[in-house]
Amino acid sequence: MDLPIIICVLLAIAVTVLLVKIYLMKKSAGEIADKLSEKLSEDTNTLIDIASGDRDMRRLAESLNTQLRRLRRERLFYRRGDAELKAAVTNISHDLRTPLTAISGYLDLLEREETSDRAKEYLACVSDRTAAMKQLTEELFRYSIVLSAKPLKLETLCVNDVLEESLAEFYGAIVQRGISPTVEITKERVERALDKSALKRIFANIIGNAVKYSGGDLTVTLAEDGTVSFSNTAERLDSVTVGKLFDRYYTVETAENATGLGLSIAKLLAEQMGARLTAEYSERVLTVIFQP
């Protein structure tokens, strides 16, 4: 056989071996990528195991396994710390409720006593701040309960009925604030898989927030697609503050009895049910939108 032919045959064999090796490496890389994605998305203690015998690919897999072990240790540490923090917040907020209630009782007694105008002014300030602390403690307790609660129980609900019930419960507070609400609820039954108690709490927190800060109006609509909108005039807001409404502990005006937890709880519950809770601000009108 001529030398040029031998060289061509050898080159062909080398190219074939190289192509096979490249193919196997790509296959192993794909296998590693798929298994890494699987391990990251699932809560499992298993590691990446590949069929390839290539030394470099197996070394890559082992390096990723080392990072997975470290990630699991940190995740476990975080979960333990998070659970301890939730328990501490729950216990602290619960323990604060009793002394605050006692303080409020004694303040009520003091207000009935004969005192100077200056003392009455001081008592009014103390009572106001105590009421704010009681509300913060109560919402903090509720927030910790929501965080540590078991998964919600989803069932087919008629959103129309739950919304009407929630509005009826707030009717007294709405009238007391001098608000004449505009309610537009579709006649079509809107049925979704939701947790009833969570949905009522979402509506209650949104309506309560609207009643507290409304400029004198409130419009509630339920569309056929299930979207529920709560709109009210809010002079003190702007696009920046609206973006923070769902942040924990954010308050529009700290001088008032606002804690910023109500809408945070509502958003958390909405997300747990696979729904969305957003806010828009246009022409001095705030609209909170719930989309199940």
Side-chain angles (χ1 to χ4, degrees):
M1 184 179 296
D2 295 339
L3 182 60
I5 296 177
I6 295 175
I7 293 174
C8 289
V9 171
L10 291 176
L11 285 174
I13 294 173
V15 169
T16 302
V17 170
L18 183 60
L19 289 174
V20 170
K21 185 174 181 64
I22 292 174
Y23 168 77
L24 293 175
M25 288 183 68
K26 288 183 64 177
K27 183 178 179 181
S28 297
E31 185 180 4
I32 290 174
D34 292 340
K35 290 191 174 182
L36 177 61
S37 177
E38 176 186 332
K39 305 306 177 188
L40 290 175
S41 61
E42 297 179 358
D43 190 6
T44 174
N45 290 324
T46 59
L47 299 173
I48 298 173
D49 184 26
I50 60 174
S52 174
D54 184 83
R55 182 176 58 185
D56 293 327
M57 298 306 293
R58 296 194 70 84
R59 186 166 57 189
L60 174 60
E62 183 56 36
S63 177
L64 291 173
N65 283 334
T66 299
Q67 298 303 317
L68 280 175
R69 294 188 189 97
R70 181 180 302 172
L71 178 62
R72 284 168 187 156
R73 286 196 299 269
E74 293 177 352
R75 182 183 295 174
L76 181 60
F77 178 78
Y78 167 77
R79 286 178 177 174
R80 287 176 178 172
D82 189 52
E84 292 174 358
L85 178 60
K86 289 175 183 176
V89 170
T90 302
N91 293 334
I92 292 172
S93 58
H94 182 271
D95 292 341
L96 284 173
R97 295 162 86 189
T98 301
L100 283 173
T101 301
I103 291 171
S104 297
Y106 282 114
L107 286 172
D108 288 339
L109 293 175
L110 278 173
E111 289 174 354
R112 299 174 190 174
E113 298 291 329
E114 289 293 334
T115 56
S116 65
D117 292 340
R118 180 61 62 85
K120 289 180 179 179
E121 182 180 342
Y122 291 159
L123 278 174
C125 292
V126 174
S127 297
D128 182 64
R129 292 299 86 201
T130 302
M133 286 187 65
K134 283 184 66 177
Q135 183 180 352
L136 173 59
T137 302
E138 186 64 30
E139 292 198 10
L140 186 59
F141 179 73
R142 291 175 183 173
Y143 189 78
S144 62
I145 292 298
V146 170
L147 285 176
S148 58
K150 295 180 180 179
L152 300 178
K153 182 180 180 181
L154 303 184
E155 57 181 326
T156 301
L157 299 175
C158 177
V159 180
N160 314 52
D161 295 340
V162 179
L163 180 59
E164 289 174 358
E165 290 177 17
S166 300
L167 288 170
E169 292 174 0
F170 274 87
Y171 179 77
I174 292 174
V175 172
Q176 188 176 13
R177 283 294 308 273
I179 299 174
S180 298
T182 300
V183 181
E184 299 176 2
I185 298 179
T186 177
K187 295 181 180 180
E188 297 292 329
R189 286 179 60 86
V190 177
E191 296 185 341
R192 296 290 187 275
L194 300 165
D195 182 284
K196 185 173 183 178
S197 62
L199 183 59
K200 289 193 69 174
R201 179 173 291 183
I202 290 172
F203 288 162
N205 288 0
I206 296 174
I207 297 171
N209 189 76
V211 170
K212 184 182 296 183
Y213 297 111
S214 172
D217 61 323
L218 175 62
T219 301
V220 181
T221 62
L222 170 60
E224 292 183 5
D225 65 356
T227 300
V228 187
S229 301
F230 304 83
S231 301
N232 62 274
T233 302
E235 298 282 354
R236 291 166 294 170
L237 294 181
D238 54 45
S239 58
V240 176
T241 53
V242 167
K244 299 179 180 179
L245 284 179
F246 300 110
D247 292 351
R248 284 178 290 181
Y249 312 122
Y250 178 78
T251 173
V252 175
E253 187 172 331
T254 55
E256 299 190 23
N257 294 332
T259 65
L261 283 172
L263 291 181
S264 296
I265 293 174
K267 186 175 181 63
L268 179 61
L269 289 172
E271 291 174 347
Q272 289 178 351
M273 294 189 292
R276 295 183 65 224
L277 188 63
T278 57
E280 298 176 354
Y281 189 69
S282 176
E283 297 181 354
R284 298 182 300 172
V285 174
L286 170 67
T287 302
V288 179
I289 305 167
F290 174 74
Q291 295 173 295

